[in-house]
Amino acid sequence: MKTFNTLFFVVAMFLSTSVALAQGTITGTVVDAESGPLPGASVVVKGTQNGTSTNFDGKFSLDVKSASGSIQVSFIGYDTKTVSFKVDGGTVNLGTITLVSNNSLDEVVIVGSGIIDLAEDRKTPVAVSTIKKREIQERAVGNVELPEIIKYTPSVFISRQTGFGDGRLLVRGFDDTNTAVLLNGQPINAQEDGRVFWSNWAGMADIANAVQVQRGLGASKLAISSVGGTVNIVMKAAEKKQGGSVRFLTGNDSYFKGTAEYNTGVNEKGWAFSVLLDHWQAHRRWGDGTFGQGQNYFFSVGYTPNERHAFNFLITGAPQFHGQKWSQSDNTTLNDPKFNQHWGYTSNLQGNNYTSEIDSERRNFYHKPVMNINWDWTISDKSELSTVLYASWGRGGGTGPRGDRTRDLNGQLDYFAIEQSNAAIGNGGFDNAESGYIRRASMNNHAWYGIVSNFNHDVNENFSFNVGTDLRYYVGDHFRQVANLYGLSSWQEDGVTYTEEYSPDPWAALFNFADEGDRLDYDYSETITYQGLFAQGEYATDRFSAFFQGAISNQSYQREGRFQGDLGKSDKLSKIGYNLKGGFAYEFAEDNQVYVNAGFYSRQPFLDNVFTNIRRSNALVEPEVDNEEITGIEAGYKFEIDGVFRAVFNFYHTDWDNRVLLSGGTLVNTDGSETNINVFERGVRQVHRGVELELDSRPTDWLELRGFVSAGSWQFKGSSNVQVFNDDTNTLISSQTGINRDGVKITTAPQFTAGLTARANVMEGLSVDVNAKHFGNHYRNDRDFDGTPQTRNFPKIDSFELVDFGLTYNFTIAGQRLTFRGNIFNLFDKRGIQDTDQFGSFPITGRTFNTSLRYNF
């Protein structure tokens, strides 16, 4: 009996103590605003070790020992959130707890972490801005192309030209030919001239996990053309989590887009599959004749056989076509900014009662499947090897006029009249007195293969190094073919009769294009090979870090002409290039850090700069074009209060010497005739210097504020030499030396910008955001048509401001998760000139909008 009483007393004491310790239970669901539940999120009572993790559905249940207090909810890649609670012996549901993603990219890099040169991978900082998946899927959707999501970052200018995918990206005044763009570590700048055609990558907004802009020297180890900076697009791999989504989007001018994706998640054998498909179309983007249509496909397979190896295969492509609009005179741009002289209706039934489809003589069409295989090998706790093998095959081009066109009273193409006139002619061409009119297509087909591999080793807790290789092989074919005869039975040119038509459609162009005997005007190929080696070492302690980086590369060029005399293959030219970068950072007080970086590039010229006339001649430029030389110095200061406030100040100075500039135009001769010309300017030097200030603040749980100011002074230095060639005969027309351009302002982008972004969580599931940006000190580009370089400053473009507005609402219906998003771009419908080139000006795109509804499952 005594033993029983003792046991009863102990049990009673245990139960009473447990009741005293466990005052109640709190439950809830942890979610991401865009992707839904967050399984594995940590939930801990503040100031204790009492905690738990969320289940697959993001739900948690936690016994608490006090009647009131607060919990801290955290998940990698998200800011920690503190939530208060009160209980009284029962169960209290805290509802849905939404976490906000921060700027870390650790959680989005599934494979290829050793290849993708993100700023997070190096402790010595660079000037960087990161846009996460949530913002990409909110703002870069539908009728807004991918580069526009980074326009609210310092020293970045997006010239939003009116065609789908025709915009230009500039960083610190350097265009995309001098800003490296990497897709999962794979370079995508065109091998011939460094350009990035964003229409070829229209699907990236749907499959990008993040976009990181590294301004200036950046963190990339490759010997790439990152004069202005580096843009890293982190593309999704096969997802670890099962689920999918369906989204429907509409916008101005009958824009429509439908997207569906599904992820199997990782099964018990380590396999995962992801697929995405979408279709979009619109009768215009904003300007007249800027119709478009396209698709996007993505398929990825991931395999993780064990903890040391991870593989991922993917293939993606975004076939599309769209009507284009070039620059106009200032009067046209200001009075009728939507005007476009390149389009018309395909037939005229009764007077002006048009009922047929819109078409354009300036149509861009392209299909560029991209495939890559990633392999990540964790060799040991200190060593890892990452490799990506990639390939892309581009097919397509752009159309243009050949012959004499007919226009209606509104200045648009009159296709009905053109077909009537062609039918009367029968056989047209440049060789006939009555030429007629056709649409030709300038084709740019290519095959590109490459491999990037990087070995990383942590020598000890303070020092690490990596070495790697970058190999590329590229063959491009360039020629013209007949796209549409418009009623002619044939077209004659240079003694050849053409009767075949090749549809300017991205799917058809993948396999159906003209054979060599059916090509007109020009036909040539180039082969570019590239071999690069790179290495980096970094030493870091709690307060100090320093790095040194170097790369060397060999690039060879060879051209083969197959037209106008069958030129055969040119001599092969090889050029050695290299770069050296180094820097250090020091945290002199808690959350106060300074850094200094410096670098030098000896960069090989683009292929287009090596030959006197890339389309028509195998002749190399004499004397031989030397490497461009770029010297960069940058410094910065960063102050941060975790989760509350961040301020970053950057200074940069970039000296770019021995640059080659190519341009073209039309020379009016003394007899009134016109000659098409190529202008070749050598020895150009320009200096870009400036300052940038970024401010981020989260004064409350429901409000985010971001602001920036960037001010630059970009101008030419010294003098340059100019040669002007006849484009048709490749003969030298004129040559000028010692043209003084010292102090002339660079005209590529606004040299002063300032922006403010505000995001407010109005209520559970509902948030609004406003983005405003000011553009100033943008100088006009008024190069003369005779090829004379700009030797004086022309007037500035009037400064202007643009404001965008967005709204997101996450809600459930019958337990199903849905997301509504609405965007208004250029909210106040600002009008004017935003940019210029040597032929005219581009209008500010007026007010546009889109709305979407996404169902997540």
Side-chain angles (χ1 to χ4, degrees), residues 367-386:
H367 190 176
K368 186 173 184 173
V370 176
M371 179 182 72
N372 66 44
I373 300 173
N374 280 90
W375 172 35
D376 287 346
W377 177 19
T378 304
I379 301 171
S380 68
D381 293 340
K382 293 187 175 183
S383 301
E384 60 182 11
L385 177 69
S386 291

Side-chain angles (χ1 to χ4, degrees), residues 127-252:
V128 62
S129 299
T130 301
I131 295 87
K132 298 289 292 295
K133 183 177 182 178
R134 182 193 70 184
E135 292 182 73
I136 296 172
Q137 301 237 329
E138 286 179 349
R139 287 159 41 192
V141 290
N143 46 3
V144 178
E145 56 202 58
L146 184 65
E148 293 201 44
I149 66 167
I150 61 176
K151 66 182 179 181
Y152 291 107
T153 55
S155 301
V156 171
F157 176 59
I158 307 298
S159 179
R160 194 190 186 200
Q161 299 175 20
T162 52
F164 286 101
D166 288 338
R168 296 191 306 125
L169 164 68
L170 299 104
V171 180
R172 291 180 175 175
F174 300 102
D175 64 14
D176 50 19
T177 65
N178 302 289
T179 298
V181 181
L182 303 175
L183 179 63
N184 277 13
Q186 166 190 339
I188 64 173
N189 296 75
Q191 288 291 89
E192 304 103 320
D193 56 12
R195 296 181 63 190
V196 178
F197 301 92
W198 294 106
S199 57
N200 300 344
W201 307 100
M204 282 300 107
D206 294 315
I207 58 178
N209 275 335
V211 177
Q212 186 178 86
V213 185
Q214 301 171 10
R215 302 183 297 278
L217 296 171
S220 175
K221 297 181 285 291
L222 305 183
I224 49 180
S225 54
S226 52
V227 183
T230 304
V231 177
N232 270 299
I233 303 172
V234 183
M235 187 167 47
K236 65 182 285 187
E239 297 281 358
K240 293 182 177 180
K241 178 183 173 183
Q242 183 181 12
S245 67
V246 176
R247 183 183 67 188
F248 295 98
L249 182 146
T250 62
N252 58 281

Side-chain angles (χ1 to χ4, degrees), residues 435-454:
S435 64
Y437 172 85
I438 66 169
R439 181 168 60 170
R440 51 81 181 160
S442 299
M443 302 296 291
N444 176 14
N445 295 351
H446 77 252
W448 184 352
Y449 308 94
I451 183 171
V452 180
S453 187
N454 181 51

Side-chain angles (χ1 to χ4, degrees), residues 398-448:
T399 65
R402 204 91 172 143
D404 298 326
R405 61 175 74 85
T406 302
R407 299 187 183 277
D408 61 20
L409 296 178
N410 296 319
Q412 313 308 145
L413 292 182
D414 191 335
Y415 283 108
F416 179 78
I418 288 172
E419 291 181 0
Q420 293 294 102
S421 176
N422 279 355
I425 293 173
N427 298 319
F430 281 2
D431 295 346
N432 296 339
E434 295 180 283
S435 64
Y437 172 85
I438 66 169
R439 181 168 60 170
R440 51 81 181 160
S442 299
M443 302 296 291
N444 176 14
N445 295 351
H446 77 252
W448 184 352

Side-chain angles (χ1 to χ4, degrees), residues 31 33 96 98 759-768 807-811 818-820:
V31 302
T96 300
T98 302
R759 184 185 185 95
N761 297 314
V762 179
M763 54 181 285
E764 188 67 41
L766 177 64
S767 65
V768 296
L807 179 148
T808 302
Y809 182 49
N810 296 280
F811 60 101
L818 296 100
T819 300
F820 171 83

Side-chain angles (χ1 to χ4, degrees), residues 707-754:
F708 70 87
V709 176
S710 57
S713 175
W714 313 330
Q715 58 188 21
F716 291 102
K717 291 291 185 181
S719 60
S720 59
N721 305 324
V722 177
Q723 292 175 300
V724 179
F725 293 88
N726 185 307
D727 182 51
D728 297 315
T729 64
N730 200 41
T731 55
L732 181 66
I733 296 176
S734 63
S735 179
Q736 302 177 69
T737 60
I739 297 179
N740 184 21
R741 303 187 72 181
D742 196 67
V744 176
K745 297 292 186 179
I746 306 296
T747 62
T748 52
Q751 301 197 18
F752 179 84
T753 57

Side-chain angles (χ1 to χ4, degrees), residues 688-828:
H688 294 227
R689 63 171 65 93
V691 293
E692 301 162 343
L693 175 64
E694 295 180 82
L695 301 172
D696 290 352
S697 176
R698 187 168 292 145
T700 68
D701 288 342
W702 58 269
L703 180 63
E704 283 182 74
L705 297 173
R706 299 179 187 173
F708 70 87
V709 176
S710 57
S713 175
W714 313 330
Q715 58 188 21
F716 291 102
K717 291 291 185 181
S719 60
S720 59
N721 305 324
V722 177
Q723 292 175 300
V724 179
F725 293 88
N726 185 307
D727 182 51
D728 297 315
T729 64
N730 200 41
T731 55
L732 181 66
I733 296 176
S734 63
S735 179
Q736 302 177 69
T737 60
I739 297 179
N740 184 21
R741 303 187 72 181
D742 196 67
V744 176
K745 297 292 186 179
I746 306 296
T747 62
T748 52
Q751 301 197 18
F752 179 84
T753 57
L756 178 64
T757 297
R759 184 185 185 95
N761 297 314
V762 179
M763 54 181 285
E764 188 67 41
L766 177 64
S767 65
V768 296
D769 51 273
V770 179
N771 303 276
K773 189 169 183 177
H774 170 84
F775 305 84
N777 283 0
H778 192 175
Y779 293 84
R780 292 190 60 92
N781 181 342
D782 284 311
R783 175 188 287 269
D784 295 330
F785 284 116
D786 64 359
T788 302
Q790 185 171 319
T791 56
R792 62 185 177 88
N793 289 327
F794 287 91
K796 297 178 185 178
I797 297 171
D798 290 341
S799 61
F800 61 94
E801 296 78 31
L802 295 178
V803 178
D804 298 338
F805 174 80
L807 179 148
T808 302
Y809 182 49
N810 296 280
F811 60 101
T812 59
I813 297 179
Q816 303 301 308
R817 295 181 292 113
L818 296 100
T819 300
F820 171 83
R821 174 68 184 184
N823 292 291
I824 303 176
F825 305 99
N826 191 359
L827 178 64
F828 301 110

